[in-house]
Structure formats: structure tokens, C-alpha cells
């Protein structure tokens, strides 16, 4: 079988608009968590345009349905909006069961839901720290444990975890968030080793700072703020060609490899130069107040 065409996440809008005519994911069933807004919504739109049947899971049920309806109005695959609380096993089970009943066996699970608190580590409320681990780590682990056994039985499948460049670096002001993403990297690495030879793939997509509600008030350092479309392009590319680590932008990969071999002082200097200090950037904490209050109480998915 010929390899599918390579889709670059640096492609132009005109090139992306051509994709629905090729629809390389026709016949594939893909579930996306936290897909009512932001990165998740962009990913769902991108995969549906490529021909996949896409299930949009979100804590906000109405938003999930509205998003599915809005995206379904454009050419592409079928879309289904469903309630999903990634911190609740029964909710995740119901979500996956409904997807398989309505659309068929899940070929790809995109674990996108995540939240972030920004500020001095000693000022972080305990419930904010616990919530980040519940959503960013245990929510992903829960999805993997529920969906991978079926994939392994079928001898094929793919889990794509939306992590962060914070899986490799740790910006000041994002201590717990970075810890959750480091944990996700380690867990995904170990599970990938267990699945070797089974036909089931695990991938990590690690973007820099993306223009979403989650990143409001934060700095990007020397790089530009990414769009959700750029991350969605990267996800499509890794679904078409599974591989473990995908950085957005790609040059971040070279920087993390360089940092890994530098001596301590040089590594610290590189970190200071390239990794934004979010404590210094967030001069007005009020810009994140509404978002962080909601994530502590309602556990909004990444936006």
C-alpha cells in the first residue's frame, strides 16, 4: 500500500483548504477529548475535513453538541458531540461506548483535555494542583487504559496525547503544570515500550505556547504564539504517520536535544534565554482569574 501524502503543519491556508478533497482519513473513527473549544475543536475540524468520523467529548455537553453541529455543516466526515468528564471513569466509559455504538471501533484517541494554573508555586491553591493532576495526568491515563485493550485485540490503533513543550522544559510560574506534562511524557514512554509489536501506537504532540484561553497572560519567549490550526496540522500529520515525539514548532526538538547534552551552567543559560519566565510575564493576575476559577470548580477542558 502506498504511503499517505505527507501533510505539513507549516502548509498554507490554501493548501489546507485542498485537503477535504483528498480525505485520507476516510473510514477512520477518532475520538477527541476537550474538543468543544481551542486546540481540541481545531483538531476535530482538521480530522473531520480529512474524512474521519470524529467524536467530540467535552465537559460542557451543549458546547460539544454545538461544536459538532457547526463543524458538521462543512464538507468532511461525520461528527458526534458527547458529554465527557475525563476525571470520571464512568463518564469516560460511557463516552467511548457511545462512540463505538454510533461510529464504530475507535481507531485513534486524541487526549487533549488539560488545564493550567500560573503563579508562584507557594501560592498555588491545593485544589488547583490536584485538579491539574486529575485532568492532565489521570484523565489521560484513564483514557489510555480504557481504549488500548480493544485496540490491542484488533491489532491496530493509535493514542495521541496532546502534551506541551513543558514536557521537556519547566517555565517559572508553571511548576505543577510542567510536572503534569513531564509525568505524561514518562507514562507515554513506558506504555509505548509495552505496546511494541502490537500494532498500537502512542504519540506525544508537544506545542509551545498556543493562542487559547489556557495561555492567557503568559509569554512565549523568543518564539511566536502558535495558532490552534498549527497544532491541528501537527496532529493530522502524526495520525497519518505515527511517531512518538512531535514538537510544534519543530525547532524546539533541536533545542531540547542540545540542552540535554550541555553542561549544567550552559544548560541553565540556554533555559534562561529561551524559556519564558511566566512569573515575570504575568504582571496582572486578574487576566487569568475567571479562567482559573472555572478550572478549579468546573474542570474546563483545555481551551
Amino acid at each position: 500500500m502506498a504511503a499517505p501524502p505527507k501533510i505539513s503543519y507549516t502548509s498554507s491556508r490554501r493548501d489546507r483548504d485542498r485537503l477535504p478533497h483528498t480525505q485520507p482519513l476516510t473510514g477512520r473513527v477518532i475520538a477527541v477529548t476537550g474538543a468543544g473549544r481551542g486546540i481540541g475543536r481545531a483538531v476535530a475540524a482538521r480530522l473531520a475535513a480529512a474524512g474521519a468520523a470524529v467524536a467530540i467529548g467535552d465537559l460542557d455537553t451543549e458546547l460539544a453538541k454545538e461544536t459538532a453541529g457547526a463543524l458538521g455543516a462543512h464538507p468532511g466526515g461525520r461528527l458526534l458531540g458527547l458529554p465527557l468528564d475525563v476525571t470520571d471513569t464512568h463518564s469516560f466509559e460511557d463516552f467511548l461506548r457511545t462512540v463505538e455504538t454510533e461510529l464504530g471501533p475507535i481507531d485513534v484517541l486524541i487526549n487533549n483535555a488539560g488545564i493550567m494554573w500560573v503563579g508562584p508555586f507557594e501560592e498555588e491553591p491545593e485544589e488547583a494542583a490536584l485538579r491539574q493532576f486529575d485532568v492532565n495526568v489521570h484523565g489521560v491515563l484513564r483514557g489510555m487504559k480504557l481504549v488500548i485493550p480493544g485496540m490491542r485485540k484488533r491489532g491496530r490503533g493509535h493514542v495521541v496525547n496532546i502534551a506541551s513543550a513543558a514536557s521537556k522544559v519547566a517555565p517559572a510560574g508553571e511548576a505543577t503544570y510542567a510536572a503534569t506534562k513531564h509525568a505524561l511524557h514518562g507514562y507515554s514512554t513506558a506504555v509505548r515500550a509495552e505496546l511494541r509489536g502490537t500494532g498500537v501506537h502512542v504519540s506525544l504532540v508537544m506545542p509551545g505556547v498556543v493562542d487559547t484561553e489556557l495561555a492567557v497572560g503568559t509569554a512565549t519567549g523568543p518564539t511566536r504564539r502558535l495558532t490552534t490550526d498549527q497544532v491541528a496540522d501537527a496532529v493530522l500529520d502524526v495520525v497519518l504517520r505515527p511517531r512518538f515525539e512531535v514538537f510544534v514548532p519543530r525547532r524546539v526538538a533541536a533545542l531540547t536535544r542540545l540542552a540535554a547534552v550541555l553542561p549544567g551552567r550552559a544548560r541553565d543559560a540556554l533555559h534562561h534565554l529561551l524559556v519564558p519566565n511566566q512569573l515575570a510575564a504575568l504582571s496582572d493576575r486578574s487576566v487569568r482569574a475567571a479562567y482559573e476559577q472555572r478550572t478549579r470548580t468546573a474542570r474546563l477542558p483545555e481551551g
Side-chain angles (χ1 to χ4, degrees):
M1 178 182 295
K6 182 175 179 61
I7 307 298
S8 171
Y9 51 76
T10 57
S11 61
S12 68
R13 181 177 296 277
R14 182 179 64 183
D15 290 336
R16 292 199 297 270
D17 288 343
R18 293 173 181 164
L19 184 61
H21 301 293
T22 62
Q23 296 192 328
L25 296 181
T26 298
R28 306 278 285 278
V29 174
I30 303 179
V32 188
T33 74
R37 54 172 61 78
I39 292 174
R41 179 187 174 110
V43 167
R46 196 77 176 87
L47 298 176
V54 180
I56 293 170
D58 200 284
L59 190 62
D60 186 333
T61 304
E62 291 307 311
L63 181 60
K65 292 179 179 179
E66 289 172 9
T67 300
L71 298 182
H74 302 286
R78 293 173 293 159
L79 288 115
L80 183 66
L82 298 169
L84 171 62
D85 180 353
V86 299
T87 70
D88 182 86
T89 299
H90 293 303
S91 176
F92 220 137
E93 289 174 335
D94 289 343
F95 170 71
L96 297 175
R97 186 181 303 111
T98 303
V99 173
E100 299 214 338
T101 299
E102 297 291 330
L103 301 177
I106 296 171
D107 297 294
V108 184
L109 172 65
I110 312 289
N111 282 310
N112 167 73
I115 58 176
M116 180 172 73
W117 187 91
V118 179
F121 75 93
E122 72 273 20
E123 295 180 12
E124 182 180 38
E126 183 177 10
E127 66 262 36
L130 294 174
R131 188 75 76 200
Q132 286 173 87
F133 272 94
D134 283 345
V135 177
N136 301 1
V137 180
H138 295 292
V140 175
L141 273 54
R142 183 172 287 108
M144 294 176 75
K145 289 177 179 178
L146 290 174
V147 80
I148 287 176
M151 292 178 172
R152 184 150 44 183
K153 286 181 181 179
R154 294 190 294 272
R156 58 183 175 81
H158 193 180
V159 173
V160 180
N161 295 326
I162 308 299
S164 167
S167 299
K168 292 286 191 175
V169 299
E174 297 179 6
T176 297
Y177 180 76
T180 66
K181 296 304 182 179
H182 276 65
L184 181 55
H185 189 287
Y187 190 87
S188 299
T189 299
V191 172
R192 177 174 179 254
E194 292 187 33
L195 293 173
R196 187 169 289 114
T198 66
V200 181
H201 301 279
V202 176
S203 297
L204 281 167
V205 175
M206 294 174 283
V209 180
V210 186
D211 188 14
T212 67
E213 188 182 17
L214 177 143
V216 166
T218 62
T220 65
T223 62
R224 293 182 179 179
R225 193 171 296 261
L226 299 167
T227 67
T228 56
D229 281 343
Q230 286 176 291
V231 182
D233 286 345
V235 172
L236 173 60
D237 192 54
V238 81
V239 168
L240 291 172
R241 279 186 170 75
R243 54 201 183 278
F244 183 51
E245 291 186 338
V246 176
F247 288 91
V248 190
R250 288 178 180 150
R251 61 180 174 274
V252 175
L255 295 175
T256 60
R257 293 190 187 104
L258 175 61
V261 299
L262 288 174
R265 288 185 179 179
R267 183 168 60 250
D268 289 345
L270 183 67
H271 187 280
H272 179 73
L273 179 66
L274 299 178
V275 179
N277 183 328
Q278 304 300 4
L279 291 180
L282 193 61
S283 58
D284 182 3
R285 293 289 300 276
S286 67
V287 299
R288 293 187 57 81
Y291 166 78
E292 291 181 350
Q293 178 61 30
R294 289 197 304 272
T295 60
R296 287 165 60 183
T297 57
R299 292 167 289 176
L300 277 178
E302 183 166 319

